[in-house]
Amino acid sequence: MSTHPAKPSMRDSLVAAAFQLFLERGYEQTTVDDIVKTAGVGRRSFFRYFPSKEDVVFPDHEQCLADMTEFLAASADTDDPMARVCDAARLVMRMYAENPTFSVQRYRLTREVAGLRTYELSVVWRYEKTLGDYLRSRFADRRDGTLRANVVAAAVVAAHNHALRHWLRSGGEGDPLAEVDRALEFVRDTWRPDGAAAETPAEEAEDVVVVITKRSTPMWRVVREVESSLGEG
Amino acid sequence: MSTHPAKPSMRDSLVAAAFQLFLERGYEQTTVDDIVKTAGVGRRSFFRYFPSKEDVVFPDHEQCLADMTEFLAASADTDDPMARVCDAARLVMRMYAENPTFSVQRYRLTREVAGLRTYELSVVWRYEKTLGDYLRSRFADRRDGTLRANVVAAAVVAAHNHALRHWLRSGGEGDPLAEVDRALEFVRDTWRPDGAAAETPAEEAEDVVVVITKRSTPMWRVVREVESSLGEG
């Protein structure tokens, strides 16, 4: 029995070696041969884990896509599809948040290397497609179901990426999960089930009070509601 | 003076030669040398117009991106930003609609060649960024302006691409401009100007009154606003 701490897997070692070299000498200047030499493994080991040098930059997306697909497949028909896709998007943010240093390093790398930007776009597209596939099946009864599914999936991805980019640009400061919650809340508010409009936009809670009332509500009840919302009641 | 019909430009000839070869022998099997030979021009002429073989597949996007940027830059502050980005998206659909045969051929090619799919994603991303940049400046006064701009830009692009894909899959049948109008209308309905979607959902306008007010607003003003909204003031 060994008393050593858990050894990193060969896959982890390859990722670590690759990023060490990317940061030291640049992505373009690093070859797969350099990576395997630094990691102390054979060239074939690299390609067992990663089809190309680009793939080692995004080692967790395949697993995360698989997790997202599984999570959505496990949905019940009674689940609110909007809540479900927002939770699915949170899985991605959680992956980034688990390793802020790595996420920020990678972000800087993708800013510099056009090929990685493109690779990232194709990953983002696969997330969007996964969300869209789920929504298309959930919205199948709606006349505008396919269109709605595509637009909502794009909106969820855009909101997620808005929060993600903001966090990465800040160098990984703050709570990315709180940021993504705020951004996804905007999407939730945009498409309330059955047109039940935004009741209290979270991001404006400090400044404004929103009161929604039926036209038939007596005036005294409206006033009381406003007063209690303002904390004056 | 020649009585010949207008000769296609060298650029057009290169595109035509490239597509002829791509269809005959496949994209991967066609080299730039093959293209210039078929077009009867020199290799340097190709690279004067197209940085790479991929670029010849999408010969019109640079111009269309430039047109979109110019169109948005020419906006007045009084223009409804939502209407403006939808009109900007229509410019792209118009480009595809101008040459249905070419558009459908290219669509089939991009389905088959992974590298072209990725190239296309990067073009789509540039359109989304162009729309997003415009919306960010128009929504600059809003607290959630950047997030809103990013989500709306993504939604417009998704709606456009929904209509475009549907038309391309059908082999270029029907009216793509009518299809994109319908898809964009969904986005317009989602975000009415000044966030009116969230504040007074059209389908509930008969039933509810929504009042949004700053916390610091004096109570008497809130009451007056509620009364006037209810039509009792």
Side-chain angles (χ1 to χ4, degrees), chain B residues 70-85 87 134-135 138-139 188 193-194:
Chain B
E70 197 185 337
F71 172 78
L72 292 171
S75 304
D77 286 351
T78 48
D79 289 328
D80 170 14
M82 292 300 301
R84 204 75 186 158
V85 288
D87 285 344
Y134 167 73
L135 289 174
R138 292 301 309 274
F139 294 160
R188 292 296 302 279
D194 299 309

Side-chain angles (χ1 to χ4, degrees), chain B residues 167-212:
Chain B
W167 178 68
L168 292 172
R169 272 191 202 140
S170 79
E173 295 296 314
D175 180 358
L177 292 166
E179 286 194 48
V180 81
D181 283 350
R182 267 196 303 278
L184 292 169
E185 199 54 31
F186 175 82
V187 176
R188 292 296 302 279
D189 282 342
T190 301
W191 291 283
R192 286 281 150 202
D194 299 309
E199 283 142 36
T200 16
E203 69 267 38
E204 298 189 20
E206 303 272 326
D207 299 318
V208 304
V209 169
V210 179
V211 174
I212 299 188

Side-chain angles (χ1 to χ4, degrees), chain A residues 117-118 125 147 150 162 190 195 197 203 205-215 219 222 226-227, chain B residues 117-118 125 143 147 150 162 190 198 201 203-204 206-215 219 222 226-227:
Chain A
R117 258 317 270 142
T118 322
W125 167 244
L147 171 60
N150 293 343
H162 170 88
T190 299
E203 71 267 36
E206 305 271 328
D207 298 318
V208 305
V209 169
V210 179
V211 175
I212 300 186
T213 182
K214 289 210 164 87
R215 275 193 183 276
M219 194 59 191
V222 176
V226 174
E227 279 178 334
Chain B
R117 258 314 273 141
T118 323
W125 167 244
R143 211 183 146 154
L147 171 60
N150 293 344
H162 169 87
T190 301
E203 69 267 38
E204 298 189 20
E206 303 272 326
D207 299 318
V208 304
V209 169
V210 179
V211 174
I212 299 188
T213 181
K214 288 210 165 83
R215 275 191 184 278
M219 195 58 189
V222 176
V226 173
E227 282 178 331

Side-chain angles (χ1 to χ4, degrees), chain B:
Chain B
M1 299 291 281
S2 164
T3 54
H4 291 295
K7 267 178 72 177
S9 70
M10 187 184 288
R11 195 172 182 279
D12 292 343
S13 304
L14 284 164
V15 173
F19 270 81
Q20 183 195 320
L21 294 169
F22 295 160
L23 295 172
E24 278 172 20
R25 56 177 88 164
Y27 175 80
E28 305 286 12
Q29 289 73 41
T30 302
T31 65
V32 169
D33 283 329
D34 298 333
I35 297 169
V36 298
K37 203 172 152 196
T38 303
V41 303
R43 197 175 154 82
R44 259 195 291 176
S45 302
F46 182 91
F47 291 106
R48 194 182 308 145
Y49 295 107
F50 305 107
S52 73
K53 191 174 78 170
E54 285 174 350
D55 293 283
V56 77
V57 180
F58 304 94
D60 299 328
H61 280 300
E62 288 303 328
Q63 187 58 51
C64 191
L65 271 157
D67 291 348
M68 181 190 276
T69 305
E70 197 185 337
F71 172 78
L72 292 171
S75 304
D77 286 351
T78 48
D79 289 328
D80 170 14
M82 292 300 301
R84 204 75 186 158
V85 288
C86 288
D87 285 344
R90 285 186 183 93
L91 294 176
V92 186
M93 186 59 103
R94 215 164 290 143
M95 177 194 69
Y96 281 91
E98 267 172 15
N99 202 337
T101 309
F102 178 70
S103 295
V104 171
Q105 281 175 353
R106 171 166 64 189
Y107 174 71
R108 289 175 184 160
L109 204 58
T110 55
R111 293 311 90 178
E112 288 161 18
V113 183
L116 296 179
R117 258 314 273 141
T118 323
Y119 186 103
E120 193 176 54
L121 286 175
S122 72
V123 173
V124 170
W125 167 244
R126 290 172 68 198
Y127 284 116
E128 187 171 322
K129 190 176 176 311
T130 303
L131 298 174
D133 286 345
Y134 167 73
L135 289 174
R136 272 188 291 280
S137 88
R138 292 301 309 274
F139 294 160
D141 293 341
R142 303 182 79 122
R143 211 183 146 154
D144 63 2
T146 312
L147 171 60
R148 179 177 291 261
N150 293 344
V151 171
V152 170
V156 168
V157 167
H160 172 276
N161 287 348
H162 169 87
L164 176 60
R165 267 196 309 272
H166 186 257
W167 178 68
L168 292 172
R169 272 191 202 140
S170 79
E173 295 296 314
D175 180 358
L177 292 166
E179 286 194 48
V180 81
D181 283 350
R182 267 196 303 278
L184 292 169
E185 199 54 31
F186 175 82
V187 176
R188 292 296 302 279
D189 282 342
T190 301
W191 291 283
R192 286 281 150 202
D194 299 309
E199 283 142 36
T200 16
E203 69 267 38
E204 298 189 20
E206 303 272 326
D207 299 318
V208 304
V209 169
V210 179
V211 174
I212 299 188
T213 181
K214 288 210 165 83
R215 275 191 184 278
S216 54
T217 309
M219 195 58 189
W220 64 269
R221 293 207 52 172
V222 176
V223 171
R224 187 192 284 172
E225 204 183 333
V226 173
E227 282 178 331
S228 86
S229 297
L230 284 167
E232 293 176 12

